[in-house]
Amino acid sequence: MSNAQQFDTRLVGEHAGEIAVESPLAYSMHRSGAPKAKADTTVTLRERAFLGHLTLRGGAIVLDEALRDVLGMSLPGEPLGLVQDEAGERSIQWMSPDEWLLIVPGGEEFDVERRLREALGDAHFAISNVSGGQTLLELEGEAAREVLMKSVAYDVHPRHFPVGKGVTTVFAKASVILRRPSEERWELVVRRSFADYTYRWLLDAGEEFGVGVER
Amino acid sequence: MQRYSGFGLVKHALSHHENWERQWRNPTPKKSYDVIIVGGGGHGLATAYYLAKEFGVTNVAVIEKGWLGGGNTARNTTIVRSNYLWDESAALYEHAMKLWEGLSQDINYNVMFSQRGVLNVGHTLQDMRDIQRRVNANRLNGIDGEVLDAKGVQALVPIMDCSKNARYPVMGASWQPRAGVARHDAVAWGYARAADALGVDLLQNTEVTGFKIRDGQIYGVHTNRGDIEAKTVGCVTAGNSGVMAKMAGIKLPLESHPLQALVSEPIKPILDTVVMSNHVHGYISQSDKGDLVIGAGIDGYNGYGQRGSYPTVEHTLQAIVEMFPIFSRVRMNRQWGGIVDTCPDACPILSKTKVKGLYFNCGWGTGGFKATPGSGHVFAASLAKGEMHPIAAPFSIDRFNTGALIDEHGAAGVAH
Amino acid sequence: MFYIFCPYCGEHREEEEFHPKGQAHISRPEDPEATSDEEWGDYLFFRDNPRGVHHELWVHAVGCRKFFNITRHTVSYEILEVYKMGEQPSITAENYAAQQGAASADKERNASQAKHQEGVRA
C-alpha cells in the first residue's frame, strides 16, 4: 500500500448537509437560463453533475490489473480509446500514454480510489480525485454533431470519430475532453472554470437546432 | 543629386514629369571598397548613408540579394517610439527618435514621419504597474511619456471599447506623444538616394555567398557577381543573419521567426494615433491612405517562409475586434509575413565578432524599423572608427556569455 | 497552417492544439558548476537557426500533453518526420540534400524514359 494520503472531502457527522453542493453549472443555468425542449428540438443538452472523476497515472500493465480486480474493467487497448462497463455507468478513457480518466457514479470514487491504492500496492502510480474540478455535459440528438462541428476543429464525422473514441481538443478556444459513448450521444468533460463559457457557447451554437436543456 | 522641392515639382509639371532623374545609379561592382554593407534594407542603407555623410567614408558598397528595402523594411507596421525600459535601449531608441525628427530635411526626402503618438494599453493590474515603471524610467532618461487612465485612453481613442464589460478591459495606457509612424518604403528610398548621391554603390541582385577570411581577418566577400574586397564588412541582414553568421563560422543567439501583418481596405480617417496591446499581441494604426494597419504576434517556430500561421492572425483579429467593435465588418485586403531575427533578451546585437573587421547588426526582432536612423548612425560610427560607438557597446554579442543581458521583453511590444 | 501527426495520439491534429518549444536535443550540461560562462551561455541562448532542415521540440498542449520532436524544413515548412522523445531523427540536413539530389535525378531519368516510351508508342 502506498503511503500517499487519501483525502475524503465529504462532510460527515454533525457537519453533513451544512454546505449545499452546487454543480459547476448551477449559476449558469440560473443566469443564462435553461431552455426547454420544443417540438422541433433536434439536440438536447444535459449536465451529469457530481460524478466521480479519477485521473489515473502510471504503467498500463499494473493499472490494467488493478482495474480488473477492483472494477472488473480493463484499460482501453489503444490510444484515444474509451471503454465502459455494461451498464454504461463507469468509463475509462485514454488521455495520454501514461494517463487515463476513470469516471464512476458520484460518491463511489472514494471507495474506488481506496481499493485501487490497495490493489496497486508499491507500484509507481498516481491517482487524483478531480471530481470537483470538472463536470460532464451530454449532447444528444440528430443535430448534436452539427453543434460540435461549429465548436471544435476536430473532425467529428462518424468515419473519423466512431463510438468508443475520446479525444482532448480545442473547443471554441477553450479545451475540452470530447467522447462518444454511443451512436446518438456525445460527452464533453469540461473544466469547472470553463463550464459556464462552454454552456453559454453551446446554448448559442444550439439555438438554430432548438436546443433543449434537461435538468 | 537632384534636390526635391515644391519649386521642382512645379517645374517638372511643365514637362509632364517625364524628366525626373533616377533616384540612384545601378553601378557595376568595383574590385574593392573601404567598407561593404551586406543587406540593403533600412538599417543597411542608413549605415551606408551615415558612413558617407558623417564619417567621410564614401568608398562603400551596399550588397543586396534582392531589391532595396524589400525585406522587413517593406513588411513592418511602421511604428516609431522610444519608450524602452532600460537605459541602454532607451539611449539607442531615443537617439533614433531624435534623428527621425529631422530626417526628412536631412535626406531631402519626405519620409512622412507623423508624430501621432503611441498608446501601449494595459489590461491588467500588472500591465499598469509595468507601464508606470516604464514611464518613470523613460522620464528619468529624458523621454516623454505619460500614464493615462481609462478615461484618458477613451478621450484619445473614442472608438475603443473601454467599458467595464470589455473582453479585454482597458485600465489605462502609456502614452508617448512624440512617437508615431513613418512611411517605410520612403525611409529605404530616401536613404538609398542620399547615400548614392554621396558616392555609395548600391548593388542590387547581388548575393553574398561567402566571406573571405584569412588569419582571423576579413578581406572581402564572394558574391554571385564575383569577389569584392574590403577590410571592413558590416552584416545587416535581419532574418538571414543566422545564415550569414554560419558562413563566417560565427554563432549568433538568434532564431528567425515568422511575423505577420495585414491591412484592411481603405476607410475614412477614424484612428489618428497608434494603439498597441502587448497583452493580446495586436497593434493597429491607420495609414494616410486609410488602410488599417494591423500587426500580429510572432509564430513560435522558426521559419524563413515569409508567411505565418492562420491561428496567429485569427487570434489577433479577434482581439482587435474585441477592442474595436466598430471594425468588426471591415474587410482585410492583404496579409503577409516577414522573417524576424529574435534575440533571447529582445534587444538587438550591434557587435564586433571574433573575425576582425566583420561586424553584425541584427537581432532587432519585431521592432527594428523604429531604430533605423539610430541603428545606422551608431553602426556607421563603429565601422568607421573600428570601435563600437558608446550607445552600441552594451549590445555586444558577448552579453550572452557574460550575463549582462538587457531584458526588454516588456517594452518590446510583441513578446519574443 | 500545420496538420501535425502526434506520435502518441497516433493521428493528425490541427496546429492550434500544439506549441513549438524550440530546438530539439538540447541537453543540460551534466555538471553546471563545472561549466565555463562560455559553455553555460551557449547552452542557454545559442540555438541552430538553419534555413532548411531543422529539428524541433513540440508539445501536444491541448491533447495528450506529451513532448515530441519534428524534423521540418524552415523554408517550405514541410514536416519531414515526427519522432518520439529519446529517439533520433532519420532525416538530417545532410541526408536530406542527398535525397533531394537523388529524387531530382530520378525524375530526369523517368522523364527521359517517358519520352523514349512515347517514341516507341508512336
Side-chain angles (χ1 to χ4, degrees), chain A:
Chain A
M1 177 81 188
S2 75
N3 57 3
Q5 187 138 20
Q6 186 186 340
F7 296 95
D8 191 332
T9 50
R10 286 171 293 191
L11 296 168
V12 290
E14 55 176 314
H15 299 295
E18 262 180 23
I19 303 172
V21 183
E22 295 280 20
S23 98
L25 284 186
Y27 175 68
S28 311
M29 290 190 179
H30 169 71
R31 193 181 68 163
S32 309
K36 289 210 163 52
K38 297 178 283 274
D40 60 347
T41 288
T42 49
V43 60
T44 310
L45 171 63
R46 72 178 77 82
E47 182 191 17
R48 287 177 55 209
F50 314 124
L51 298 179
H53 299 237
L54 295 175
T55 293
L56 315 178
R57 299 201 62 178
I61 294 169
V62 286
L63 280 174
D64 187 61
E65 218 165 275
L67 282 162
R68 279 168 198 272
D69 281 358
V70 174
L71 291 174
M73 297 172 72
S74 49
L75 290 180
E78 296 286 326
L80 312 181
L82 170 72
V83 296
Q84 302 170 84
D85 65 357
E86 272 172 29
E89 286 181 331
R90 296 167 191 81
S91 64
I92 308 172
Q93 184 186 353
W94 182 97
M95 303 297 292
S96 157
D98 57 0
E99 182 180 339
W100 291 265
L101 175 65
L102 169 64
I103 299 186
V104 295
E108 204 177 279
E109 68 272 22
F110 299 101
D111 188 45
V112 169
E113 181 182 347
R114 186 182 50 75
R115 284 159 60 205
L116 280 174
R117 284 185 185 282
E118 279 166 9
L120 284 160
D122 288 331
H124 184 64
F125 72 97
I127 301 177
S128 317
N129 184 343
V130 293
S131 312
Q134 51 199 34
T135 191
L136 193 142
L137 305 181
E138 265 183 12
L139 281 177
E140 192 166 359
E142 56 180 290
R145 192 161 68 87
E146 303 271 341
V147 172
L148 287 172
M149 282 160 67
K150 290 166 78 173
S151 314
V152 296
Y154 195 81
D155 182 2
V156 290
H157 192 278
R159 216 168 33 224
H160 188 252
F161 208 133
V163 172
K165 188 171 183 177
V167 300
T168 311
T169 189
V170 178
F171 177 100
K173 296 238 156 209
S175 76
V176 74
I177 299 167
L178 178 64
R179 17 198 270 161
R180 189 158 180 227
S182 70
E183 285 293 338
E184 66 285 354
R185 205 156 47 81
W186 296 80
E187 291 179 346
L188 286 80
V189 180
V190 296
R191 302 253 172 191
R192 186 177 196 108
S193 50
F194 280 96
D196 177 58
Y197 170 77
T198 313
Y199 178 72
R200 287 193 284 143
W201 178 282
L202 287 171
L203 286 192
D204 188 45
E207 199 178 359
E208 59 174 308
F209 309 107
V211 64
V213 177
E214 273 181 21
R215 312 181 64 165

Side-chain angles (χ1 to χ4, degrees), chain B residues 43 72 76-81 84 92-93 96 100 259 276 283 298 340-342 346-348 363-372 375 411-414 416:
Chain B
H43 288 235
N72 290 351
N76 69 87
T77 51
T78 78
I79 297 167
V80 174
R81 61 188 173 91
Y84 278 69
L92 178 57
Y93 291 102
W100 274 116
L259 176 68
M276 307 182 65
Y283 36 105
I298 67 167
V340 296
D341 42 335
T342 59
C347 270
W364 291 92
T366 60
F369 178 75
K370 66 174 78 68
T372 305
S375 154
V414 184
H416 66 254

